[in-house]
């Protein structure tokens, strides 16, 4: 069942939250709704929107974004966006040498698996949404989840798992960012010829994002040097 406002005043507060685009305005509107209408059926939506608003700030406030995502999961442990948000923040902010890296990786993995299960079992939330748009949403979200799992595998330096996940992401949504991460993983896994070939394919694309272009060029340089070193004759004993 779709959530419903219990009064015209609550409906206005809900509309104020959904109709604004500015991060600070969303945060204020969500807090106003949650403060004035503590039993609102829109609590989960408000917490998710507040979490994403903190994440969208420049610079992102990842601490508050995670706090509100966790509060949303208290309302609905299967919430797709909040599970993804927590996992992605962990992936992006956990240093390679962190003492609690294994614990954080396990936590992120759990949230991503929950998100995958939710996506598989979720039906179209809005009858007005076309079946094609819903299928596209599920496909793109699944690709994003595979990409997140690939980055998580990279944190563990599990290159075979990372290759599998990035390849799955590309199969569902062939984006340059996913291709770039696959190329980097191929290079890390010692598959330098494959990495160079993929880099050349990515770099040949028109209107490639400058950040991705620079990253891919760096991956290609690393792969080229590694391939040359591997092909060099061994020094005489």
């Amino acid at each position: 069942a779709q959530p419903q406002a219990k009064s015209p005043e609550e409906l206005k507060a809900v509309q104020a939250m959904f109709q604004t685009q500015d991060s600070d305005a969303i945060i204020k509107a969500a807090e106003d709704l949650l403060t004035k209408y503590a039993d609102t059926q829109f609590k989960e939506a408000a917490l998710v929107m507040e979490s994403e608003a903190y994440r969208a700030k420049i610079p992102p406030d990842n601490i508050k974004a995670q706090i509100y995502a966790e509060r949303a999961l208290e309302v609905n442990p299967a919430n797709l966006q909040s599970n993804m948000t927590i996992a992605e923040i962990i992936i992006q902010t956990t240093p390679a040498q962190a003492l609690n890296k294994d614990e954080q990786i396990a936590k992120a993995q759990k949230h991503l698996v929950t998100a995958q299960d939710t996506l598989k079992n979720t039906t179209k939330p809005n009858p007005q949404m076309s079946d094609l748009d819903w299928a596209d949403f599920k496909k793109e979200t699944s690709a994003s989840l595979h990409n997140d799992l690939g980055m998580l595998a990279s944190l563990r330096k599990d290159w075979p798992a990372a290759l599998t996940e990035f390849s799955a992401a590309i199969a569902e949504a062939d984006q340059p960012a996913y291709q770039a991460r696959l190329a980097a993983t191929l290079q890390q896994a010692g598959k330098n010829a494959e990495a160079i070939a993929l880099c050349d394919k990515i770099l040949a694309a028109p209107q490639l994002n400058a950040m991705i272009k620079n990253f891919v060029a760096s991956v290609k340089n690393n792969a080229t040097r590694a391939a040359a070193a591997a092909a060099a004759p061994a020094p005489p004993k």
Side-chain angles (χ1 to χ4, degrees):
Q2 295 295 315
Q4 300 291 329
K6 300 175 183 177
S7 68
E9 292 76 18
E10 182 186 345
L11 179 59
K12 287 181 181 179
V14 171
Q15 291 172 336
M17 181 179 70
F18 280 111
Q19 290 173 355
T20 185
Q21 300 296 320
D22 178 75
S23 294
D24 289 332
I26 291 172
I27 291 167
K28 182 181 184 305
E31 281 299 305
D32 287 347
L33 175 66
L34 295 171
T35 300
K36 294 177 183 177
Y37 306 98
D39 63 344
T40 179
Q41 294 180 12
F42 291 89
K43 182 176 182 179
E44 180 183 352
L47 292 169
V48 171
M49 290 184 67
E50 195 162 356
S51 170
E52 293 307 298
Y54 276 115
R55 200 175 177 200
K57 288 174 72 70
I58 301 175
D61 189 336
N62 286 321
I63 293 175
K64 287 186 178 177
Q66 185 166 343
I67 287 172
Y68 281 94
E70 288 171 346
R71 286 183 60 189
L73 293 184
E74 291 174 4
V75 179
N76 175 16
N79 183 277
L80 176 63
Q81 185 59 55
S82 292
N83 275 294
M84 291 180 68
T85 292
I86 293 170
E88 288 167 2
I89 289 173
I90 291 172
I91 291 167
Q92 293 164 5
T93 62
T94 300
Q97 304 302 323
L99 295 178
N100 66 338
K101 185 176 79 169
D102 290 343
E103 177 185 339
Q104 290 292 86
I105 286 174
K107 180 177 180 180
Q109 181 89 22
K110 180 180 178 181
H111 282 293
L112 290 175
V113 169
T114 299
Q116 284 185 316
D117 289 342
T118 298
L119 185 63
K120 290 176 185 176
N121 298 320
T122 298
T123 56
K124 186 168 62 174
N126 185 350
Q128 296 180 345
M129 186 182 210
S130 72
D131 290 342
L132 180 60
D133 286 344
W134 176 239
D136 286 344
F137 168 80
K138 292 189 73 173
K139 194 172 183 180
E140 290 173 7
T141 305
S142 179
S144 181
L145 285 165
H146 282 299
N147 176 66
D148 290 342
L149 287 164
M151 290 194 290
L152 199 60
S154 296
L155 267 180
R156 299 195 305 266
K157 299 187 184 301
D158 184 349
W159 309 125
L163 290 172
T164 297
E165 295 296 346
F166 289 135
S167 296
I170 292 169
E172 294 191 307
D174 194 0
Q175 296 185 15
Y178 300 162
Q179 291 182 346
R181 292 190 181 109
L182 177 60
T185 306
L186 286 167
Q187 193 273 316
Q188 292 279 7
K191 300 178 181 291
N192 294 299
E194 293 178 51
I196 293 168
L198 180 54
C199 287
D200 286 338
K201 176 185 174 183
I202 299 168
L203 293 171
Q207 299 180 333
L208 183 64
N209 176 278
M211 187 177 296
I212 294 176
K213 184 176 182 179
N214 291 336
F215 175 77
V216 172
S218 175
V219 171
K220 182 179 177 180
N221 287 337
N222 291 338
T224 301
R225 285 197 297 267
K237 295 181 180 179

